[in-house]
Amino acid sequence: MSDLVKKILVVDDDVDFLNHAQDFLKNLGYEVIVAETQAEAENLMAGTEFDGAVINLGLEYPDSGFTLCYHAKKLPKPFPIIMLTGANSYVEFEFNLDSPSTRQWIKADVYLEKPIRMEQIATELEHLLR
């Protein structure tokens, strides 16, 4: 990570996860801003430039994470996104970001399935923010 503090947006409707992620990433030297809803995250993105984001797929709507990724990639300064979800375990649907057709509609740079260790998120962020 460079000497400049990187600003990370973390969006999840699980407050315990949000608090844990915020504490963990702050301890690594990131500036962390959190949101619990798609609407809250969209408002933050409209007025703040982020260096990266960790976004849960399902928020107030099942596709909120996809929508946030889409909007983030349309910003004047788009940023890398890690998409998190536990959906695979109960809908038996898998995302393969290596597929060009999937990449067209999933705008995330990395896709991680919950449950997730914070160290995995940190490793992916470090890689994306180089």
Side-chain angles (χ1 to χ4, degrees):
M1 205 162 47
S2 75
D3 292 337
L4 297 174
V5 174
K6 302 290 187 182
K7 190 179 296 184
I8 306 299
L9 173 64
V10 180
V11 187
D12 202 303
D13 56 352
D14 179 342
V15 177
D16 291 334
F17 176 85
L18 268 186
N19 292 333
H20 185 56
Q22 184 174 35
D23 291 344
F24 186 86
L25 295 173
K26 278 186 176 182
N27 285 335
L28 294 177
Y30 294 105
E31 179 181 346
V32 182
I33 299 174
V34 299
E36 292 180 42
T37 66
Q38 175 185 339
E40 186 180 355
E42 286 176 348
N43 286 334
L44 288 167
M45 289 189 312
T48 306
E49 285 189 0
F50 292 96
D51 297 296
V54 178
I55 299 173
N56 188 36
L57 172 60
L59 300 165
E60 61 263 53
Y61 304 106
D63 65 346
S64 290
F66 292 142
T67 304
L68 282 174
C69 286
Y70 177 81
H71 290 299
K73 296 300 184 176
K74 294 278 190 188
L75 291 170
K77 185 183 173 215
F79 47 85
I81 297 170
I82 297 171
M83 173 78 67
L84 304 178
T85 186
N88 286 359
S89 62
Y90 59 87
V91 296
E92 296 181 12
F93 182 74
E94 289 190 27
F95 304 107
N96 178 1
L97 292 181
D98 295 328
S99 159
S101 63
T102 303
R103 275 218 170 278
Q104 288 180 346
W105 64 276
I106 297 180
K107 300 300 183 185
D109 298 278
V110 173
Y111 174 83
L112 298 174
E113 189 173 342
K114 287 182 172 182
I116 188 88
R117 291 185 348 269
M118 288 298 149
E119 292 82 7
Q120 289 173 279
I121 293 172
T123 298
E124 294 296 343
L125 276 175
E126 186 176 318
H127 175 74
L128 290 170
L129 299 177
R130 288 186 190 157

